[in-house]
Structures are given as C-alpha cells and as structure tokens.
Amino acid sequence: MSIPTYQEFMLPVLKTAKDGEISIGTIVKKLSDDFELNDEQRAELLPSGKQTVVANRIHWARTYLVQAGLLEPTKRAHIKASERGLRLLRENPQSIDKKMLEEFPEFQAFLNRKKSDDDNNSPDAPTTNITVQSTETPDEIMRAAHKDVEDALRSELLDKLRSSSPAFFEGIVVNLLVAMGYGGSLTDAGKAIGRSGDGGIDGVIDQDALGLDRVYIPAKRYDEGNNVGAGAIRDFFGSLDRYKATKGVFVTTSRFTQDAVQTVEMLSKHIVLIDNVTLTKLMVRYNVGCRVEDTLVIRRIDEDFFSD
C-alpha cells in the first residue's frame, strides 16, 4: 500500500495517544509498523531532504488534532489525547478528517486566523483556505506548486536555448559548467571555441592554471526529436583523441538515443551526457539564465526553546 495521507493518519494518531503521554517519534514508528510500510516508504524524504514523508504527514495530523482540541501537547515532542479526544474515540468513528474537525470552534478559529495587517480583515470577509479539502499536507501542496513553477521555467528556458544562436548557446553551456565549479577559481577558465574545423568541439574548460587538464564540450542546439545518436558520440571520442584529452561533456537541447548511451558506457574515455532535461535542471539550480525572484522561508517550532 502507499503511504497514508495525513488525514488518514488522524484517527490512528489519536488512538495511539489515548492511553497517555507518547512521543511523536514513537507514534511514527508504531504507525509505520501498523500500516506495514516497507523500508523504502519509511525512508522516503521530502524534497528538502530533512524529514521523511511519513513523519511529515503524521506531524501535520498531530498539528490539526491539537488545533481541534483532540490532542494536548505535553513535554517536548510528546502528546496525549484530551478529554474531547477520548470522548470522540468512545463514539467509535471510522475516520477523522478536516471536515470533521471543522465542527470544533477552535479548529474553525485556526483556519480563519489572519495577520492583523490583512487589508481584508473583517468579521464578514470570506476566508479561503486552499488546503481545506486536500488530502495533501500544506508542505506537499507548496512543494507541488513550486515544482509547477519550476517546470514552467525550465520549459521556457529550453525554448530560449533552442531559439538562440549557436555561438550564444555554446557560451551558455561553458558558463554553466564554470558555475558548477569546473575550472575552480581560475580566471577565464572556460571559453567557447565553436568554429569550422574544430572537430566538433564547441567549448573547453581548463581545470588547472597551465591547461594540462581540460574538459572538452560539444554543445548541440537541436530541436525535439532530433536526438543525438551513437555516431555523434564516436565522432566526439575521436575528437578527444585528437586533442589528447581523457574526458568531455556532451550537451544537447534534445535527447540521446539508447545506442548513444550504450556507446558511452563502452568507451575508454569519460564522457558525460547532458540532455535537455538535465540541462535545464542544472541551469535553474545554478541560476544560469534565470534569477531568484522571491524566497519563501519555512519555520517550525523550536521545541528546545520551550523545554523546561
């Protein structure tokens, strides 16, 4: 089975706290066992890499149950069922979700909270909450929205690359590799050299001050469907021999055929393939051709600060 949603975790979380104080860590382990999650599911991380998906969903279930008055926080990272929570369990509910929690005035107040400087802050102003009926946690919704924004950015970047001149594209590729750390702290470590008779080499990056160790780059600005085949890889291999080089990076705005990928694995020189998907991801990651427009900071309670 898949990892339960945070709403599916609500009733199990409340039940684990019905006998008294229990730690969140214990709840995560117990419910992972109860739902028979496999090792991969237990280890799956959020994109931030700082928390597992199962722990994040259980934490959100706990947060909403506390806001509805069904759980009471005790000492650091510990909870217990409240009298209201115990009464609800005696009614033997089949599940608990956000719609049920909206029956409690404390939870309604939690949903309707606004900043004091909100221009629309009035008793009659309608409150919108995009996550009320969602099965995803706010973290997951936010990260999914971030992915949508980034996917749109990468698509736009690819269009820009394909419509640029060959020389401009070659320069972008060299700048990206330098931004990634190739060439170290050398001044003018990378340069585009694409020209007639260059043996298919469009750029080169010096890894040391004397240029004894170089990375050679073919940068092919191709449209979708015009994939790079094994022949182009073998030609590049021959060019590396000509320059007495041992490594190179082959970049394209299209993709590589399976034969091209297999050919690279069989060759004696180290050749890295960067297709359109990897290229745009790297450009976003290293802010090449794009810039940071805004930053959202996620904060959590510092339990140590409030511990006795």
Side-chain angles (χ1 to χ4, degrees):
M1 65 172 294
S2 59
I3 301 174
T5 66
Y6 79 101
Q7 294 191 84
E8 291 171 332
F9 272 130
M10 286 183 176
L11 181 58
V13 168
L14 183 58
K15 285 182 175 179
T16 59
K18 68 182 177 64
D19 294 326
E21 185 180 80
I22 186 171
S23 71
I24 297 298
T26 301
I27 292 175
V28 171
K29 184 179 185 308
K30 182 179 187 310
L31 295 187
S32 296
D33 292 338
D34 291 347
F35 282 96
E36 299 181 345
L37 301 182
N38 59 38
D39 292 341
E40 183 178 349
Q41 290 170 322
R42 295 174 193 235
E44 182 180 345
L45 294 172
L46 294 173
S48 65
K50 296 181 179 179
Q51 188 181 37
T52 62
V53 171
V54 62
N56 179 260
R57 292 181 181 180
I58 288 174
H59 274 270
W60 276 105
R62 165 209 175 271
T63 295
Y64 287 133
L65 292 170
V66 168
Q67 294 297 330
L70 299 176
L71 287 177
E72 295 177 358
T74 56
K75 62 184 180 183
R76 182 182 186 275
H78 285 67
I79 54 172
K80 68 176 182 179
S82 66
E83 286 300 320
R84 176 184 287 174
L86 293 173
R87 285 198 302 272
L88 178 60
L89 288 178
R90 286 195 287 270
E91 296 174 8
N92 196 29
Q94 297 304 300
S95 64
I96 298 176
D97 56 20
K98 290 185 71 173
K99 186 174 180 60
M100 176 186 287
L101 299 186
E102 288 179 49
E103 298 173 5
F104 302 107
E106 295 91 342
F107 192 73
Q108 279 285 355
F110 165 68
L111 291 180
N112 294 336
R113 255 176 237 152
K114 292 184 176 183
K115 294 180 180 178
S116 59
D117 59 351
D118 189 341
D119 293 336
N120 296 317
N121 189 14
S122 70
D124 299 323
T127 299
T128 59
N129 190 310
I130 62 171
T131 67
V132 169
Q133 303 302 329
S134 175
T135 60
E136 298 175 303
T137 69
D139 297 60
E140 292 168 332
I141 292 172
M142 179 183 63
R143 287 180 169 86
H146 177 270
K147 182 179 183 301
D148 288 343
V149 171
E150 188 167 293
D151 286 348
L153 170 61
R154 289 175 46 230
S155 178
E156 189 174 356
L157 280 172
L158 186 59
D159 289 340
K160 294 283 189 183
L161 293 175
R162 286 176 173 165
S163 62
S164 65
S165 69
F168 186 77
F169 175 59
E170 292 159 8
I172 288 177
V173 170
V174 170
N175 290 337
L176 171 60
L177 292 175
V178 171
M180 292 171 63
Y182 293 92
S185 59
L186 296 179
T187 302
D188 299 325
K191 59 183 176 180
I193 60 173
R195 59 183 180 271
S196 177
D198 59 14
I201 303 299
D202 299 306
V204 61
I205 295 177
D206 290 331
Q207 291 287 77
D208 62 88
L210 296 178
L212 297 174
D213 188 16
R214 287 182 163 181
V215 178
Y216 288 86
I217 311 158
K220 304 308 175 188
R221 187 179 51 85
Y222 292 160
D223 290 330
E224 189 70 31
N226 185 13
N227 296 337
V228 177
I233 300 298
R234 286 191 289 269
D235 289 344
F236 179 41
F237 179 82
S239 296
L240 290 177
D241 263 347
R242 171 184 170 185
Y243 287 99
K244 297 181 175 58
T246 60
K247 53 192 173 185
V249 180
F250 200 126
V251 183
T252 181
T253 53
S254 61
R255 296 179 182 270
F256 296 95
T257 65
Q258 189 60 37
D259 285 343
V261 174
Q262 291 173 349
T263 298
V264 164
E265 294 173 351
M266 294 184 296
L267 296 177
S268 58
K269 300 183 188 299
H270 190 193
I271 298 175
V272 175
L273 305 181
I274 298 181
D275 63 7
N276 57 4
V277 175
T278 303
L279 175 59
T280 53
K281 283 183 177 180
L282 290 172
M283 290 181 68
V284 171
R285 179 177 177 181
Y286 291 94
N287 290 321
V288 174
C290 58
R291 57 182 172 81
V292 176
E293 182 176 273
D294 202 354
T295 302
L296 301 179
V297 178
I298 303 175
R299 293 182 172 85
R300 297 194 185 279
I301 287 290
D302 183 349
E303 297 285 359
D304 291 332
F305 180 85
F306 291 99
S307 62
D308 296 332

